[in-house]
Amino acid sequence: MTKKFCIVLVFFVLTSGIVFAQKNTLTVDVGPTIVGLAAGPAISKIVPKLEDSVTGFGIGAQYERQILKSFSVAGRFAYMGAGLKLPVEGSLLNANLKIDLSSFSVEGHARYYPIGDTFFVDGMVGYANLSTTLDGSVSVKGYGTVPVGSFSPSRNYLKLGAKLGWRFCFGNNGGFTFEPSFGYSYGIGLGDSIEDQLADQVKKVTGSGVAEDFNDAFKYIENLVFIGGPRVSLAFGWRF
């Protein structure tokens, strides 16, 4: 299902460009890099007791095809990765986990330029995946310590978003392009959440359910950093 959805998005962007193309713009976005580097301090402030040792990296690439003077379509790929240490304390469960996270998204964009060819309004629909690798152990009251190393839950998302931005071209007929923009993305999770998959893993090993879970931590990680949340883009490229 998700693979077919991605193929449809890519096909739509490419065929629209081939049939109606007027101009092309290729850009590389360092916005995910900024978000990735800021992920550590941001998550540390949001999630209680999180160790401030998060490292992150991200990058994005986009191909835009101008169909009309005031309308274009674009295809975008983005990647973000980070590592963090997450201590969790509860009445039944204590954990100290090292977590490596990585996400990628494939997005289809429609842009409207209401005045001229600089300011634009952008709507987005796409597919995203968040993968995690956990290393460490969970201590469950009455059951002892449960190793969770090499456990790698992941989740797929339908991604929606909107943003406002500006396209500045430094040339008489295109040339070097700079695109700053800001907006918001929202992810609709498909299937079991990562925290539920982790709880199921603990239950599988111990043979008993655990009341505490990791909802707060992963909720912020998913909704505000890796899949959804505020988005800042600083894209550089070439228009031709």
Side-chain angles (χ1 to χ4, degrees):
M1 177 77 177
T2 54
K3 290 183 178 179
K4 291 181 179 179
F5 182 71
C6 292
I7 293 172
V8 170
L9 281 176
V10 174
F11 179 77
F12 170 76
V13 173
L14 291 179
T15 54
S16 297
I18 293 171
V19 176
F20 302 106
Q22 299 296 322
K23 278 190 175 293
N24 312 279
T25 307
L26 294 172
T27 55
V28 174
D29 183 12
V30 298
T33 304
I34 297 173
V35 174
L37 292 173
I43 299 174
S44 296
K45 292 180 180 179
I46 294 171
V47 181
K49 300 182 180 180
L50 178 66
E51 295 184 21
D52 190 8
S53 59
V54 183
T55 56
F57 170 78
I59 196 71
Q62 178 171 288
Y63 169 64
E64 179 188 5
R65 199 81 150 173
Q66 198 81 28
I67 296 177
L68 303 172
K69 181 177 176 59
S70 60
F71 181 75
S72 69
V73 294
R76 185 174 186 273
F77 175 83
Y79 168 85
M80 186 184 301
L84 58 90
K85 293 181 179 179
L86 178 65
V88 177
E89 295 182 5
S91 58
L92 295 177
L93 179 149
N94 292 309
N96 199 336
L97 302 173
K98 180 181 181 298
I99 306 176
D100 292 320
L101 305 106
S102 64
S103 68
F104 72 87
S105 63
V106 180
E107 306 164 359
H109 290 254
R111 284 187 176 185
Y112 174 59
Y113 294 82
I115 47 174
D117 59 358
T118 300
F119 174 73
F120 62 82
V121 180
D122 184 303
M124 176 271 289
V125 60
Y127 161 79
N129 174 272
L130 176 62
S131 299
T132 64
T133 299
L134 298 99
D135 185 16
S137 61
V138 176
S139 297
V140 182
K141 186 176 181 180
Y143 293 93
T145 299
V146 180
V148 294
S150 301
F151 180 55
S152 301
S154 65
R155 194 183 194 191
N156 300 316
Y157 302 82
L158 172 64
K159 191 174 180 181
L160 305 173
K163 64 181 178 180
L164 303 176
W166 296 261
R167 181 177 64 192
F168 300 103
C169 297
F170 301 88
N172 294 328
N173 190 29
F176 177 74
T177 301
F178 172 55
E179 291 186 2
S181 64
F182 64 93
Y184 195 91
S185 294
Y186 179 74
I188 301 173
L190 307 174
D192 293 337
S193 67
I194 291 177
E195 57 269 20
D196 286 344
Q197 294 179 57
L198 179 57
D200 288 343
Q201 176 73 359
V202 173
K203 182 178 180 180
K204 184 187 300 182
V205 176
T206 64
S208 176
V210 179
E212 285 82 3
D213 55 28
F214 302 88
N215 275 324
D216 288 341
F218 279 103
K219 177 179 67 177
Y220 291 122
I221 290 171
E222 290 174 330
N223 297 338
L224 294 179
V225 180
F226 282 88
I227 303 299
R231 287 293 181 264
V232 175
S233 174
L234 295 174
F236 303 85
W238 195 262
R239 192 164 188 244
F240 53 96

